[in-house]
Amino acid sequence: MTDGRNQQRTLVLLRHAKAEQSEDVPDTERPLTARGHADAAAAGAWLARHALLPDVVLCSTARRTRQTWHGVALGMTGSPPEGGPAGTAPAVRYEATAYEAQPDELLKLVRAVVPDTGTVLLIAHNPGISLLSGLLDPQRADPDGLRTTDLVVHLPTTRWAVLAPAGAPITARHTARG
């Protein structure tokens, strides 16, 4: 086990996939649409193609984010043309505080990961996830924020525990569509 100082760290932010609009169910229970399921799988395939397989997944407990993670996991384990094998299963933490979280609350979740973690995937909601991306890289963040199933890859320049504003440049972004 390393001390985490010289290891490359990658933080992938993912806004959940397209969810159904319904006043008949609580917001936390809104499911993904058919397009949302397809887009989530496409996000997983993109992560696999770009060797961005997570070691740790931090996921909101809302139904649409849990379903997004499920689709991403399926997409990562597809056949090589669809994304490729996902390797070892990541540690998945469902975090109630990620629902309706402000960027500082999401940053606190990221700071709490085990120091030698290489890649973290954070699946959450707007506006918090978009604001976190802007906080980590104010120069390169999309001023319009993340759309559904948008992936933004940040490379932290410090250990997880001390990740700070402007401390993780954006190196890639992708809108996954199935």
Side-chain angles (χ1 to χ4, degrees):
M1 189 177 280
T2 64
D3 66 8
R5 278 182 273 193
N6 298 318
Q7 177 183 349
Q8 179 175 331
R9 283 165 289 283
T10 304
L11 174 61
V12 180
L13 303 181
L14 171 60
R15 182 177 172 202
H16 64 79
K18 181 75 174 162
E20 291 182 8
Q21 297 296 325
S22 175
E23 295 181 17
D24 297 334
V25 296
D27 185 61
T28 57
E29 292 303 314
R30 289 191 303 124
L32 294 183
T33 63
R35 181 188 123 195
H37 285 286
D39 292 351
W46 186 86
L47 290 170
R49 276 193 312 274
H50 292 86
L52 292 168
L53 302 174
D55 300 304
V56 172
V57 176
L58 304 173
C59 183
S60 163
T61 55
R63 183 176 182 186
R64 61 190 175 274
T65 49
R66 289 181 286 124
Q67 288 181 328
T68 297
W69 163 239
H70 179 73
V72 167
L74 288 174
M76 288 189 316
T77 58
S79 63
E82 297 167 337
T88 59
V92 181
R93 291 184 9 211
Y94 294 100
E95 299 284 354
T97 57
Y99 177 72
E100 295 188 338
Q102 294 298 313
D104 59 324
E105 295 166 303
L106 293 173
L107 185 57
K108 184 177 179 182
L109 290 174
V110 173
R111 286 176 177 156
V113 300
V114 176
D116 65 349
T117 301
T119 300
V120 174
L121 172 62
L122 173 61
I123 307 171
H125 312 264
N126 264 346
I129 195 87
S130 291
L131 294 172
L132 177 60
S133 186
L135 180 73
L136 294 173
D137 188 347
Q139 298 299 317
R140 293 179 197 89
D142 187 332
D144 295 328
L146 281 71
R147 290 162 285 294
T148 56
T149 331
D150 265 2
L151 295 140
V152 181
V153 180
H154 290 264
L155 288 185
T157 58
T158 63
R159 297 184 325 271
W160 295 116
V162 294
L163 184 58
I170 293 172
T171 60
R173 63 185 90 196
H174 176 72
T175 300
R177 295 293 181 248

